[in-house]
Amino acid sequence: MKRFITLALALCMVFGAALNASAAEIKASGNMWVGYDYLNVDNEGKTTDFKQRFRTQIDIVASEALSGTVFFEINNTWGQTNATNTGNGSGGALGADGVNIQTRRAYLDFLIPSTPVKVRAGLQGVALPGAVSGNVVLNDDLGAIVASASYSNVDFTAFYGRPYDAKVNGYDKSESSVDVYGLIAAINFDTITVSPYFVAANVGEDAGVADADNGLYGDTQWYGVALEATPIENLVLSFDGVFGKASDEDGGFLVAGKAAYTTQYCVPAFMAWYGSGNDGSDNEGRMPTLDNGGDFVATTLIGEGAVGPMSDSVLGDARGKWGVALEASEITFIDKVSHVARIAYVRGTNDDDAAGLDIENWSDDDSAVEIDFTTTYNMYDNLDLVADLAFAATDFDNDNANENVDHVFKAAILAVYSF
């Protein structure tokens, strides 16, 4: 009997050690938004939608050297669904029960043994440096392998990604994919950080992604730099510059600068940018982008500047436009209530003869003045109530397909729970 008990205890110790060795810590985080979105595009129409979004990220951490992450999202617009009640945005109509869970990210993180190199492989967020207001070329989720390491005051990152891949009957075409390669360096000094980067994309002829809006054709390359400096206390100066060119076509660029100063009552800032436009009907001169260009947020309506899962990029992105803006953020008069206010003047840089001039793509005769105001009330530690307002008075030339639009008004109110 004693031998049996001893053997049982030994087996328990062995299995217990095995279980402890394979145990992993699971962490969950995310947020949920529920709100109302109103958009009125003068003489074109309006939308009045109730929307909600749920996001959760689950990290399975084995050790500091190994972890896995999955990131899910559910979007609904009340009263709307798809024909089969499946896919993105389904399940908002009567009865709900949509099959609509999106896998935004799913990746592994691990350290290469005996080295400082960290590798992340899988569906993940890849963002190029953007000091002023995000990056206009790439800031999105895609399948990629990213390797990063630090040496002294320099952080290095190299990545490979495949954002697009077309197949016929399950097989590759001759040139069916888009492959992206990138190098990033962040050089950190006492009061300044300089982040140069280079990206190359091999766009297959049969990938089916080349169009006049993104400008992706053949071998496309980008050269850029982001810079952030704090020359004196409370003052932050930022600069972004990027040039991109597709195959034998004319290249394009975007440059932007911002100065922000922190005071006791708010953070006033001045921002300006210039994005080259198309020279004529050949649609060459505007910089190509891997994404839709909206991650450089110029205003609420230009770029993806709307708060929450609401209307974004109503007036397009910053490419093919120039603008100046005065902004004040972190304005606080009442405890737990903060505001952001902005006024901007924007004009197009595309030629009058450029194709596809509309509410998103402007010629140098098209302009607008936009006023934005956002209020956030921190009701609880994890719950915010947000009101987001934007108004743009537009002046479109008769060459623009939306010349009858004189103004755009957007209003949203939403509750945001973060956990």
Side-chain angles (χ1 to χ4, degrees), residues 128-139 197 240 254 256 294-297:
L128 296 176
V132 174
S133 188
N135 191 284
V136 74
V137 176
L138 176 62
N139 184 358
Y197 59 92
D240 283 319
L254 185 140
D295 291 299
F296 180 90
V297 177

Side-chain angles (χ1 to χ4, degrees), residues 197-252:
Y197 59 92
F198 167 74
V199 178
N202 182 14
V203 183
E205 292 181 0
D206 298 321
V209 298
D211 61 38
D213 186 55
N214 61 33
L216 288 176
Y217 301 96
D219 294 326
T220 308
Q221 299 179 347
W222 294 267
Y223 308 84
V225 63
L227 183 151
E228 185 170 282
T230 54
I232 60 174
E233 186 179 4
N234 297 331
L235 176 64
V236 178
L237 303 177
S238 307
F239 172 82
D240 283 319
V242 57
F243 172 84
K245 186 179 187 301
S247 292
D248 297 327
E249 299 189 354
D250 294 339

